[in-house]
Amino acid sequence: MSATAIDLTSEIKRLKRERNAVILAHNYQTGDIQDVADYVGDSLGLAYHAKETQADVIVFCGVHFMAETAKIVNPSKIVVLPDKDAGCSLEQSCPGPALEKFLLDHAEKNYYVIAYINCSAHVKALCHVICTSGNAVKIVNKAPQDRPILFVPDQNLGAWVMEQTGRKMDLWQGSCYVHVEFTRESIRKIKEQYPQALVVAHPECTQAVRLLADEVCSTEKMVTYCKNAPVNDIIVVTESGMLHRLRRECPDKNLIPGPTDRCACADCRYMKMNTLQKLHDCLRDLSPRVELPEDIRVRAEAPLLLMLEQSR
Ligand code: 13P
Ligand code: SF4
């Protein structure tokens, strides 16, 4: 670590004590951010931590919908994120007004709406329950049997959940621009290079890629899977930040990033907008803050709380 990074890290730790803040970071954040965080995890673990924290300030190192989720479930806290423009292609693929119109146009269907957590507060407010990649199968299994399900916004996660549960759902046609970059060909090639390797993939990948995987799971479950894997080589088909977390937790394993057709690994440009410097600045300035209209927050909170209850 450079002298500047060490200075920045110690200043972040000092400010954190002064502000009575907690730093929550997603598994896709850069290594230096993960190393200074109090908790690093997937969307589900982060939502539980955000709800339960006793800190006055939540510094959320992830993308905007994750920080917004923290504010929805724990509204009395100040929630800041290092870069307010850290969005998500899945969130963008399902704008609130478009979903509102779709539900009005298909009112006769009486949909039970399940939203993947990668969506805006407006979309959450229109849904019955939320899920993450870590609990989607469980949540869908608990959905009412007598109503059709509309699953938004990720068609790939939705298709994987249908395969796992046998429950038919209508799928919003959104996708993660990072995970659809992995192809059957790019994963086949790396498997040829490491014939003994196991492959673990995120359910946001396409079916062609999921079919080549030995395990499909959330980023948090990847940690357990890699720890317990009976082989040394594991190909990890998800965003590159995951490799830092895995290498820390499984130092004896050879963790190989899944390549795309263009690159040796895949970065989420939104996740990578956060830097150690911006983390420092947002803790110092308590800005940018996540705020949202109270009526939307209350309506978005109900399906999130239902998710937290149903996934225990
Ligand atoms: P996880 O909840 O599995 O960490 O996934 C979040 C995400 O944004 C994947 O692209
Ligand atoms: Fe969104 Fe994909 Fe980035 Fe995850 S990796 S935050 S789904 S754009």
Side-chain angles (χ1 to χ4, degrees), residues 195-210:
Q196 308 299 328
L198 289 175
V199 178
V200 60
H202 197 274
E204 288 172 12
C205 295
T206 62
Q207 190 193 39
V209 167
R210 294 196 310 271

